[in-house]
Amino acid sequence: MTTISNRLQDILATIQSAAATSPSHQQVQLLAVSKAQPAAAIRDAYAAGQTAFGENYSQEAVEKQKQLTDLAIEWHFIGPIQSNKTQVIGQNFSWVHSVDRLKIAQRLNEARSSIAQPLQVCIQVNVSNEDTKSGVLPEQLEALAAAINALPHLKLRGLMAIPAPTIDLAQQIAQFKQVRECYDALIRKGYALDTLSIGMSNDYQTAISQGATIVRIGSALFGARAPLKAA
């Protein structure tokens, strides 16, 4: 077994254990964050059983997709979205986790119009109210959800968040709980959501305890990566 394979099995076991003790006992998907990782590393993880991969930079992702066309990978876009990147993102990914404004949703909808399968999307919520972080504020969430629901080539699946990093367990729980409360509020208002994309390498067990259905894990699976400029 490769190092990636060993790490993958350890992470999956931890996810399963955390989900079993979660109050909702939900199913949890591992999304392997492969930004700045070579195609060979993705191929190793795929060979070990991982099929869903998340990328932050569209140009980098498309180059890797070209090298991995023989693999049945489900590609997720999880990074900030620039308006001039919506065409390539809308046409080359199955999921987008980081929709945070109507203009981007509309442009993704247009980009997806020639593809039969709708683009699966999550709204990114900025629960920590950080000026430097993408995401719609909680009080603006319902208006954006309603607008996305009206777009025929997008399918709203749930919420994504990147809370402020902290090693304080109580603060982790509080931030994830706030995202879950936003999610539950939309469901009570009739939105058919099933996805809560929260939790990363350093806090995914806490996220699962608060209802995460997708955890986005990069460094714990692939190891440290070199800095990479956005594309």
Side-chain angles (χ1 to χ4, degrees):
M1 297 176 73
T2 67
T3 300
I4 289 175
S5 181
N6 286 329
R7 290 172 177 163
L8 176 62
Q9 300 312 313
D10 288 345
I11 292 167
L12 290 175
T14 302
I15 289 173
Q16 184 176 13
S17 176
T21 58
S22 169
S24 54
H25 301 287
Q26 74 276 19
Q27 293 291 317
V28 182
Q29 179 186 19
L30 167 61
L31 180 62
V33 178
S34 48
K35 68 176 182 180
Q37 298 295 337
I42 297 174
R43 192 174 289 278
D44 283 349
Y46 186 91
Q50 178 64 27
T51 59
F53 293 85
E55 292 281 339
N56 288 58
Y57 308 121
S58 58
Q59 184 175 326
E60 176 200 350
V62 169
E63 288 303 312
K64 286 188 278 192
Q65 288 172 359
K66 291 176 182 177
Q67 299 175 55
L68 298 166
T69 55
D70 57 312
L71 305 183
I73 289 175
E74 181 180 80
W75 293 101
H76 296 231
F77 190 83
I78 60 175
I81 305 172
Q82 300 172 3
S83 294
N84 64 346
K85 302 296 184 182
T86 51
Q87 186 74 14
V88 66
I89 292 170
Q91 293 186 349
N92 290 280
F93 290 84
S94 297
W95 282 72
V96 176
H97 292 228
S98 45
V99 177
D100 63 354
R101 56 196 188 277
L102 179 56
K103 177 183 177 181
I104 293 299
Q106 291 171 330
R107 291 177 67 98
L108 288 171
N109 182 67
E110 293 169 4
R112 197 70 175 187
S113 61
S114 62
I115 299 175
Q117 180 67 31
L119 185 64
Q120 312 298 300
V121 301
C122 292
I123 297 173
Q124 183 171 351
V125 187
N126 185 352
V127 293
S128 50
N129 199 17
E130 296 176 80
D131 292 338
T132 58
K133 187 168 289 181
S134 300
V136 64
L137 296 177
E139 57 267 27
Q140 301 167 337
L141 176 58
E142 186 179 356
L144 181 55
I148 290 174
N149 259 3
L151 297 173
H153 306 296
L154 303 186
K155 171 64 176 175
L156 180 60
R157 297 292 297 270
L159 304 182
M160 183 271 262
I162 309 173
T166 177
I167 60 172
D168 182 85
L169 180 60
Q171 187 175 347
Q172 286 180 7
I173 291 173
Q175 292 186 111
F176 289 136
K177 184 178 180 180
Q178 187 177 357
V179 184
R180 177 59 186 263
E181 288 172 349
C182 290
Y183 174 82
D184 288 342
L186 287 178
I187 291 175
R188 287 194 298 270
K189 291 177 179 179
Y191 290 88
L193 308 182
D194 60 9
T195 301
L196 198 55
S197 174
I198 53 176
M200 297 186 287
S201 290
N202 293 328
D203 57 14
Y204 69 94
Q205 294 180 68
T206 306
I208 292 170
S209 77
Q210 299 305 307
T213 64
I214 294 179
V215 291
R216 309 181 306 272
I217 298 178
S219 59
L221 175 60
F222 292 107
R225 54 181 171 252
L228 184 75
K229 294 182 179 180

